[in-house]
Each structure stands twice: as structure tokens, then as C-alpha cells.
Amino acid sequence: MRLAPLALALPLLAGSLPAPPLPVVPPPPVQPNDNRHPAGTLHRGVLRLDLEVRLATWKPEGPHGDSIVVPAFAERGGPPMIPGPLVRVPEGTVVEATILNRLTDSAITVRGFLPRPATAADSLVVPPGGRRAVRFVVGAAGTYYYSATVGTQHPDVEREQLAGAFVVDPPGPVRPDRIFVINIWGTPVDSV
């Protein structure tokens, strides 16, 4: 009879123990974008594009180098990419784009989703966890880009991983090619 109270007390004590910590899951790896395949779905002159900004693990020195966690663009359901997914359409295309900010602690400011040539500066602020939509006709043929900044950034720091090519092709057939994008990652070094 003396064992019964002790048997009842053990489950109560076990329930009050702290739960083990959850494993930390690293963000998915960044995929290098070769800019050969346009993002979105182009149908009857309308490009539907669903992009998101999320954290990813980037290895700027190659697969065997050190890694850093950075925000990166991705198509919904696709891997994060640096440079961001290629936007490539013929002149006169209507773009219907949504941008989802999967960052939980910072707003993003997106630029470059507007008719070209641009007549004014543009920006689309997307709060943490928020989604914004934009619709426009692309405008003149040319090679452009889109980009985003996270929160506020010191003017001396150059971190342009949130950027991608935006190409508007002239009417007619397009020869196969490849778009080369160079991104910047730098912080000035004090010379003293």
C-alpha cells in the first residue's frame, strides 16, 4: 500500500520537467541562379509571378567555403536563389506579381517592379509576414533589375543579394542567351 502514493507522484514529477529543446533547423541552401529559365507563368500576354523573400544559407566562396544566413528571393515553392529568379518577358507584357516577406523581424523595400523606362523612383514596402501585389505593363525593351533592402541599411554597407535580372525582350524571336548578374557584398575596412 505504501507504493501506490509513490507511483502516483512519479508521473506528476515527470510532467513538470522542462521539455528538451527543439532542434535548430538551418535555413535551406541558396541555389546559384544561372539565369537561363524565366520565373513565373506567361500566358496570353500576362506574366503571373509569385516571389518571396526568406532566409537561406549562402556559401559565397563555393560549396566548401564558409556559410552565412542571408535573405534571398525565391519563387513560391522553389529554392532561394542568388541572384534572384529571372524575370524575362516580351515587350507589352502585363506583370501581375506578388511578393511575400517571410522574414519575421524586418520589413523589406522592393524596387524595380514598374514600367520601363522608369519616370520616378518606386518602392513597395512589405511588412514582416506581409504580402503585396503589383500589376503593370513592362514598357520598353531593355535589361533591368529588381531588388529589395531589408529594414534600414547603413549607407556604407553594400549587401545586394536581394536582386535579380528583369529583361524585356523586343518583339520577335529571341536568341538563346544567358544573363550575367554580379552582386555586391562588402563593408568598408578602416584603414587606420
Side-chain angles (χ1 to χ4, degrees):
M1 288 293 206
R2 299 194 100 195
L3 293 176
L6 181 58
L8 290 174
L10 285 176
L12 293 174
L13 288 174
S16 65
L17 295 176
L22 295 173
V24 176
V25 178
V30 167
Q31 300 296 312
N33 185 357
D34 66 6
N35 281 314
R36 292 182 189 217
H37 307 285
T41 304
L42 182 60
H43 182 69
R44 295 186 179 188
V46 177
L47 175 71
R48 288 188 174 78
L49 182 63
D50 200 357
L51 296 177
E52 56 188 37
V53 171
R54 60 181 170 192
L55 291 179
T57 304
W58 183 42
K59 293 189 170 202
E61 302 293 326
H64 303 294
D66 292 334
S67 65
I68 185 168
V69 174
V70 297
F73 275 110
E75 270 194 274
R76 185 177 64 168
M81 303 174 112
I82 294 179
L86 170 64
V87 179
R88 187 166 195 171
V89 294
E91 211 170 35
T93 298
V94 174
V95 173
E96 294 179 349
T98 60
I99 296 118
L100 171 64
N101 179 2
R102 289 196 177 272
L103 304 180
T104 59
D105 61 350
S106 299
I108 59 171
T109 303
V110 181
R111 293 176 185 82
F113 285 94
L114 74 165
R116 306 301 176 116
T119 56
D122 74 308
S123 62
L124 182 67
V125 177
V126 187
R131 180 186 308 262
R132 294 291 183 262
V134 63
R135 184 177 198 276
F136 61 96
V137 178
V138 293
T143 303
Y144 309 103
Y145 74 101
Y146 64 94
S147 66
T149 52
V150 177
T152 57
Q153 187 170 308
H154 191 278
D156 291 339
V157 175
E158 293 183 298
R159 294 188 178 165
E160 298 175 5
Q161 298 349 287
L162 279 171
F166 194 128
V167 178
V168 180
D169 290 313
V174 176
R175 293 183 345 176
D177 63 1
R178 189 167 176 179
I179 310 302
F180 188 65
V181 176
I182 298 175
N183 292 29
I184 297 171
W185 180 277
T187 302
V189 177
D190 190 2
S191 60
V192 177

